[in-house]
Each structure stands twice: as structure tokens, then as C-alpha cells.
Amino acid sequence: MFDSLSDRLGGVFDRLRGRGALTEADVRTAMREVRVALLEADVALPVARSFVDKVTEQAVGQNVLRSVTPGQQVVKIVNDALVEMLGADESELELSVTPPAVVMMVGLQGSGKTTTTAKIARRLTSGVGGRERKKVLMASLDVNRPNAQEQLATLGTQIDVATLPIVAGQQPVEIARRALQAAKLQGYDVLMLDTAGRLHVDQALMDEMKAVAEIAVPQEILLVVDALTGQDAVNVAQNFSDQVPLTGVVLTRMDGDARGGAALSMRAVTGKPIKFAGVGEKLDALEAFHPSRVAGRILGMGDVVSLVERAAESIQQEDAERMTARLAKGQFDMNDLRSQLAQMRRMGGLGALAGMMPGMKKAQGALATAGGDKMLIHMDAMIGSMTVKERAKPELINAKRKIRIAKGSGTTVQEVNKVLKMHQEMSTAMKKIKKMGGLKGMMAMLGKGGMGGLGNALGGAGLGDMMDKAGGGLPKGLPGLGGGQDGMPKLPPGFENLLKKK
């Protein structure tokens, strides 16, 4: 979503970093370009103006112009200002009240309220991130849109969350009363009210929303905004916050190709935190909004913490334990390679992973030309065409067998050779890891640029070199993960246990 903004800012900062010393004129020229980039990304004018003024004031200070790496200092100031603009801290839902805690969803027609209601309910009931599981009841107050109540009931069945039985002809205020009563009697922790979509010019519907808010006394009123709305999102937010006391914002369609201005303006205009971001159609495609991580992605600094969290969610416990046992012995066959590829696909594919790695933004283009995520599917097909013996002992594969594997998987012998070479390089790396002392040694290898082997196998020497440089540029103690005495990144709590052998 933030690609064009990311590319524009990347260009500005590359020019700044290329200079040994900076003058005030250099900084002011760069900041003018930053302002144009923000406006092109649909950020509201007052927000862009105050952002650039604040950054310029700090960036032309003596500390920056006389520092050893002035270009890096400016990037740091812009990063800090972006984090502040997006809301300094991540904010979770405030549900610590006498049950049931009421969460009311409001927003325009078609912004994705019903799906988002189900996504948040699923998040609460599954206890994502080690939080305690909640008992949730969902109720649809949308009597205007045909089948809106049935849609929520269907979603409830899919995620195994209770929905309030539908009574034909009831009005929203009556449904809200009935939902509250049911939630109290049946001991639910959270009641989610999905209100009807409304236009901000429709005063009758706005009054109805206020009446529901007065009866239900919601703990959280979340404004659901489509990230594709652009500049108008600011007016929407303003109109809704004039009517009801909003407590937070949920941005949907953050995976789209919109220019991202809505996300950047929202916090500054409403003064309310962005709590969640919808990143896809599926009911698990909802992320907590972390301002510092989003700022890191925009500035191409990567988002290693989200990457590790995503890995922790997608790695199957048994696979991890089996893999650790084999790593300890320095073993790595085609079955292991296949499970690694499947895991990469579960984590969102190569493009998503490259976008989160520090310094890997430029490698995304190379990955796309090399075939992107289709490549993972082709590799899986090739491994699937091998016999059980061949998978366990790849050295058995001779020229005849390669032709059979290529025909069986609809690929070429060259592609089969690439997969075998990739396996060979990874196998060699595993043996090195064993010699270097297991996983800690592997992390050190990554820190010294051990990404090249994977790059060579995927897209040839060019991509290998690029990934090597990117890996070599990983700072000691990766951002957000903290660094140990030896500069090793510390994994988030719970992740280390996942990799330990039971």
C-alpha cells in the first residue's frame, strides 16, 4: 500500500545519505520533496504541512548538520515524526470493565464493518498473542441492508462465535436492548454491535446511532474506514467524531493499492488511535496496528518484529521440533526443503517476507521478475514428482531422473537443477550451522549476510548479491528485537521455546 510513498522517500534519503556534509539548503530541499510525496500519497494538507514543519525544525539543528552521518540522522528524525503522526504506541481494545464490555462498530456503507466485526470477534475468542480468550456475542443492528443480519450469522458460524437470534421487524434500538440483556444473562465477556452503514449526510441514521450508543453505553466505539477512501476519510472521521465519542479507528483494505494517506491522516485528525488494520479478505487477516512498525515499512527499514510474530503463528510446533532435531545433526533433505517452502507460503510468500526484511525493499522487484510466489508452487511440484527415496537422498538424482521429474511437474530440467542446487546450498549451510553451534550460529550467519545462498538459488547471482548485501546490512541487535551482548537479536518471548527441543 505504501509502495509509491516508500519509493519517493527512499529516493530523497538516498541522495541525502550520499553526501558527506549537509547544508541547511540541502535539508530544506529534501523536506520540500517529502511534503510533495506525502501530498501525492493523499495525506491531508494540514497534516502534511505540520509534519514537514516539525521535521525541518529538528533537521536543520546543529546536532544534525554537524553529526558524523547527517543523512542517517535526518532519516531517524523522519522515522520518529512518522511514528508520532501514526500514534506513538500500539493500542489494544479496553475491555477491562464489568462484563459484558460493549464494542460498537460504526462507519460508512461498504467500508467492511460486518466482516471486521467477525475478524475482531475471532481475534478475541482465539486469544491471539497470548491474551486470554473471551466469550463473545455478536449482534447485527443493520435493518437497512438486505440480509445483513444473515451475513453476520453466517460469519459467526464460520468462526464459531455466537450471534444474537434474528427477530424480523425489530428496530436497531430494540435489538441493542435485547443483545445487552442476552449478553448479561448468558455471561458473555464481550458484546459486539455491528451497526448499519450510513452516509455522513444522513442525519436520521446518525441520530439512530446516537440513540444506540446511549442505550448500550459502549466501552469502545470503533470507526471502520476503508483505506481506499483517500482525502475524504478525514471528513468522514470528523463527522462521526462530532456525533459519537469514538475511541479508535480500524482501517480496512490495507492490502490494497491505495496511496495510504488515510492511515497517515486519521490519527492526526481524530486524535484517536488506529487499533487494527484489515490486510485481506480472510477472517484471520487482521493485524494490530503498530505505528513504529508501519513507519519502518514506509521508510524501507523493514519490520522484523512482525516477521518473527508471523513466523511464530505459522510454524507448526511438531514441524519446528522435528526440524530442530535434524538441525542438531546437520541433516537436511528434500522433505525438509519442502516444509520450509510451505512455511514461506503460509507466511504470505516471498514478496511479503522481502518487504519486512531491513534493506530488502529493492529485492522485491528482483523476486517479482524471477517469478515471485509462483516459484514456490513450482518448487513444491518438482519435489512432489520425486520418489520417496529421491527425496530422502537427492544425490540419487541423475540426468534421466531429472527429465522424469521435470515432465512430471510441468517444468524444465534447468528448473529442477535450480531446486537441487538450492537444496545443496541449504544443506551445506545446515552442516555449517551444526559446526557453528546450532541456531545461535545461524543468527550470526544471517547477521554476516548469509542470505546470498537463498538468493542465488531463487533468482541467480544478481539477487544473491543483493540479498547478501541486505543481510550484511542487518544492524547489530535488529530493530525492535533488542540486541544481546554479542549483537545477536533477541527473539520475542515464547518464540525461543518454539525452537527448543522438547
Side-chain angles (χ1 to χ4, degrees), residues 314-330:
S314 66
I315 289 171
Q316 262 79 0
Q317 182 82 29
E318 306 84 51
D319 287 0
E321 285 170 8
R322 190 179 66 85
M323 194 68 190
T324 313
R326 292 179 64 78
L327 271 180
K329 295 176 192 163

Side-chain angles (χ1 to χ4, degrees), residues 248-281:
V249 178
V250 181
L251 285 171
T252 57
R253 287 205 266 188
M254 281 280 282
D255 55 325
D257 55 359
R259 289 174 288 186
L264 297 176
S265 314
M266 217 24 107
R267 163 78 193 199
V269 172
T270 61
K272 298 290 178 270
I274 299 170
K275 299 211 172 191
F276 298 107
V279 290
E281 294 287 322

Side-chain angles (χ1 to χ4, degrees), residues 390-447:
E390 285 168 349
R391 274 180 236 162
K393 288 188 95 180
E395 53 272 23
L396 292 174
I397 299 173
N398 56 21
K400 267 188 176 177
R401 290 179 184 234
K402 282 177 191 173
I403 294 168
R404 190 201 81 241
I405 292 164
K407 279 184 177 169
S409 56
T411 53
T412 62
V413 173
Q414 287 92 322
E415 285 175 291
V416 174
N417 284 333
K418 266 190 188 177
V419 170
L420 290 171
K421 189 179 175 201
M422 179 180 181
H423 167 264
Q424 201 178 346
E425 292 194 357
M426 287 177 90
S427 181
T428 311
M430 295 306 163
K431 285 178 184 130
K432 273 188 199 163
I433 288 164
K434 189 193 172 193
K435 281 181 194 165
M436 289 162 76
L439 285 165
K440 198 168 184 186
M442 180 168 86
M443 282 299 196
M445 190 172 84
L446 266 177

Side-chain angles (χ1 to χ4, degrees), residues 103-307:
V103 178
M104 182 171 160
M105 313 291 283
V106 299
L108 294 187
Q109 292 165 345
S111 56
K113 278 183 307 306
T114 305
T115 312
T116 304
T117 304
K119 284 180 180 178
I120 295 175
R122 181 189 176 280
R123 188 183 171 84
L124 292 172
T125 51
S126 61
V128 173
R131 294 172 188 87
E132 60 176 289
R133 292 163 180 250
K134 304 277 187 194
K135 191 180 173 192
V136 181
L137 174 68
M138 300 192 294
S140 172
L141 311 187
D142 190 348
V143 293
N144 300 349
R145 183 164 63 91
N147 293 336
Q149 292 175 299
E150 284 82 356
Q151 183 193 350
L152 190 67
T154 306
L155 291 172
T157 311
Q158 284 175 22
I159 56 172
D160 206 15
V161 171
T163 48
L164 189 74
I166 301 164
V167 174
Q170 264 198 334
Q171 288 309 298
V173 176
E174 296 164 344
I175 299 172
R177 266 202 201 97
R178 184 162 61 91
L180 259 177
Q181 203 174 0
K184 278 177 189 163
L185 289 173
Q186 294 169 43
Y188 283 97
D189 300 318
V190 181
L191 168 63
M192 302 206 59
L193 298 177
D194 172 30
T195 64
R198 55 207 74 230
L199 300 168
H200 43 80
V201 290
D202 194 331
Q203 197 51 50
L205 277 171
M206 283 293 191
D207 291 341
E208 180 189 274
M209 177 178 71
K210 278 193 324 213
V212 169
E214 279 164 23
I215 281 170
V217 196
Q219 183 69 11
E220 291 272 359
I221 301 182
L222 301 179
L223 173 65
V224 181
V225 180
D226 186 338
L228 305 178
T229 318
Q231 286 276 331
D232 193 47
V234 174
N235 305 332
V236 173
Q238 201 60 63
N239 279 307
F240 273 93
S241 58
D242 290 347
Q243 303 285 342
V244 286
L246 297 176
T247 58
V249 178
V250 181
L251 285 171
T252 57
R253 287 205 266 188
M254 281 280 282
D255 55 325
D257 55 359
R259 289 174 288 186
L264 297 176
S265 314
M266 217 24 107
R267 163 78 193 199
V269 172
T270 61
K272 298 290 178 270
I274 299 170
K275 299 211 172 191
F276 298 107
V279 290
E281 294 287 322
K282 291 181 180 167
L283 292 172
D284 58 354
L286 184 79
E287 286 180 1
F289 190 86
H290 299 269
S292 54
R293 301 186 196 178
V294 173
R297 282 192 216 179
I298 292 173
L299 297 179
M301 293 173 181
D303 179 2
V304 181
V305 188
S306 288
L307 186 62

Side-chain angles (χ1 to χ4, degrees), residues 452-467:
L454 180 63
N456 283 332
L458 294 177
L463 182 58
D465 289 348
M466 196 183 286
M467 288 174 90

